[in-house]
Amino acid sequence: MTKIPACFSETYAAARAKFLSAAKAAGATLETYEHPAKGPGGGTLATDVARIGPADAESVIALGAGTHGVEGYCGSGLQIALLETGFADRLPEGAALVLIHAINPFGFAWSRRVNEDNVDLNRNFIDHDAPYPENPGYEELKDVINLPDLEPGTVKQAQEKLLAYAEKNGFPALQYAMSAGQYAHPGGVQFGGNGPTWSHLTLKDIVRKHFAPAERIVFIDFHTGLGPRAHGEIISTATPDSPTYKRMTDLWGDEVISTKAEGSVSSNIAGSITDFLAEELEGKALAACGLEFGTLPITDVSFALQADNWLWQHGGAENPRAQEVGAIIRGAFYLDEDDWKEEVFKRAEEVAVKGLKGLE
C-alpha cells in the first residue's frame, strides 16, 4: 500500500528520480526537455513528460507541477502519489494521461517561485509585442514590496506601509498590487518577463505535441501558497459566462471560482498558463484550472517572496543568508508535515477523478 508522505521529496533531484521511477513502473512513455542551466551541485535540470495512453487519443487529462518552481515539492509528490495509487487505471478507454513534471525546473531545484531570469512563469504567457498591463499599485508600493534589506526595522516599516495601503484601498487592491504581476522592473517581485522564457517555449512545445491532437482536454496545474491550510481551491481564469467555465462547473460544480469574478484566493492576473491554453487550444473542449493548496497565512507567504527576491538580488546561493531565506520560502509553499500531505493528496485525487468525466 502506498504511503502518501513517502511520495514527496526533500530535493528537486530526489523528486525527479522518484517521478521517473514511478512513471516507468506505470508503463509511461517518457520525454525529457533538458534545461540549459544547472541545479545545486551542478545537477541536471529538466522538464519531464510522462504519457500513459495512445498517442492519438482524442481525450487527454494532464497534471502539471512546478509552474512556480518551489511549489513543485507539492505538485511532484501529488503526481507520484497518483501514479502509485493507480490513477491511470481509471482512464476511460482510449484516453491518455499526461504528467508534466517541473515545468519550471530552475525554480524547483533552487527553491524559488520564479525562474532563472527572475520571471514568474504564470505571468509570462502574454503578447510581448503588445503594450504590457499596468499595475499602478505596484508602482506606488515598489520601494516597500522590494525590500532593500531584511533588517527587522526595515521589514516592520514596509509592512506598516503595506497595511496602510490596504486600509485605504482594501485588501484585494493590496493583493493585486503585490501579486498580479509587473513588467517594468526585472529585478522586482512578480516580474512577468519581457519575452517568452525557456519554460514558456518548452511548455508550448509540449502542449502542441500532447494536447493539440486531442478534442477534449482537462488540465490541472498544482499550486500552493494561498487559502486555508490544505484546502484546494479550483481556480479558473475564464469568465463566468464562457464555455470553458461552463465545462469546468459541469465537472467540479460550484467549487470552481473565477479570478474574473469575486471570491477567489487569487487575483485576476495576466499571462497565465490557463489563459495560454484557452488561446492555443481554441475550438477544443477544454477545462483548465489551477488547484491551489493553502499553506501559511498570506502575510508569511508574501514576506517569503520578498525575502527570496532580496536574496537573489544580493548574491543568491552565494549570500551568507541563502540557507535561512531558502528555508523561509520553501516553508511558505510546502508544508513538510504528513497530515498536510495526506490532505492535499486526498483533495487532488478527488479533483482529478472528477476531471475524468470531461474525457467522456
Side-chain angles (χ1 to χ4, degrees):
M1 181 177 178
T2 299
K3 293 183 178 180
I4 300 304
C7 296
F8 295 77
S9 304
E10 297 305 306
T11 66
Y12 160 76
R16 183 177 185 228
K18 201 174 292 186
F19 173 80
L20 294 174
S21 176
K24 289 175 183 176
T29 300
L30 287 163
E31 294 175 339
T32 292
Y33 296 78
E34 187 168 335
H35 195 287
K38 295 297 182 182
T44 297
L45 301 179
T47 296
D48 295 295
V49 181
R51 184 182 180 111
I52 298 173
D56 60 351
E58 292 189 358
S59 299
V60 170
I61 184 167
L63 307 175
T67 295
H68 289 138
V70 68
E71 299 175 26
Y73 285 103
C74 174
S76 171
L78 295 176
Q79 289 178 328
I80 293 162
L82 286 165
L83 282 170
E84 293 193 355
T85 54
F87 176 73
D89 296 336
R90 306 188 189 195
L91 289 171
E93 186 175 355
L97 168 65
V98 176
L99 301 103
I100 311 172
H101 185 267
I103 294 173
N104 168 12
F106 181 93
F108 191 166
W110 289 100
S111 291
R112 298 205 73 198
R113 192 169 180 269
V114 294
N115 79 339
E116 63 277 7
D117 303 312
N118 198 49
V119 172
D120 184 317
L121 184 59
N122 221 29
R123 311 292 186 273
N124 188 245
F125 288 89
I126 199 166
D127 182 357
H128 291 280
D129 293 323
Y132 287 116
E134 296 181 354
N135 188 340
Y138 186 97
E139 292 301 319
E140 181 177 342
L141 296 168
K142 64 180 184 296
D143 291 338
V144 291
I145 291 175
N146 299 299
L147 297 170
D149 58 66
L150 299 185
E151 295 305 313
T154 303
V155 174
K156 183 175 184 293
Q157 186 177 44
Q159 291 175 338
E160 287 172 351
K161 290 183 178 179
L162 294 173
L163 179 59
Y165 182 90
E167 290 175 345
K168 178 181 177 181
N169 300 283
F171 179 78
L174 175 62
Q175 184 178 9
Y176 186 89
M178 295 186 69
S179 69
Q182 54 86 15
Y183 300 84
H185 307 283
V189 174
Q190 300 289 3
F191 179 54
N194 294 142
T197 64
W198 180 90
S199 292
H200 174 140
L201 297 173
T202 298
L203 185 63
K204 186 172 287 188
D205 287 346
I206 293 167
V207 166
R208 290 176 176 174
K209 178 174 182 177
H210 290 279
F211 296 8
E215 292 301 319
R216 293 171 296 279
I217 303 103
V218 174
F219 178 77
I220 303 169
D221 201 19
F222 297 128
H223 287 268
T224 60
L226 298 176
R229 184 183 188 275
H231 174 70
E233 180 177 306
I234 302 170
I235 301 176
S236 171
T237 57
T239 56
D241 59 352
S242 67
T244 295
Y245 191 82
K246 173 65 166 59
R247 279 190 291 271
M248 294 178 70
T249 56
D250 286 345
L251 298 181
W252 298 301
D254 60 8
E255 290 186 273
V256 180
I257 303 178
S258 172
T259 58
K260 293 180 173 60
E262 294 183 356
S264 177
V265 296
S266 173
S267 291
N268 181 25
I269 63 174
S272 71
I273 286 177
T274 49
D275 281 342
F276 153 67
L277 291 176
E279 181 178 340
E280 184 73 22
L281 302 172
E282 186 176 5
K284 310 283 188 181
L286 171 70
C289 75
L291 184 57
E292 182 88 30
F293 295 103
T295 50
L296 301 179
I298 187 63
T299 50
D300 294 343
V301 174
S302 296
F303 172 70
L305 293 175
Q306 293 173 283
D308 170 75
N309 184 74
W310 171 84
L311 176 73
W312 285 82
Q313 297 307 313
H314 294 83
E318 303 303 317
N319 188 300
R321 300 187 69 175
Q323 186 173 358
E324 171 197 352
V325 174
I328 289 172
I329 190 163
R330 177 181 160 120
F333 291 96
Y334 170 63
L335 300 187
D336 192 10
E337 301 164 5
D338 286 357
D339 67 321
W340 186 82
K341 296 171 188 176
E342 295 275 4
E343 289 181 51
V344 297
F345 170 72
K346 182 178 179 181
R347 176 61 169 163
E349 182 182 44
E350 174 189 34
V351 172
V353 169
K354 287 183 178 179
L356 293 177
K357 292 187 299 181
L359 308 186
E360 297 174 354

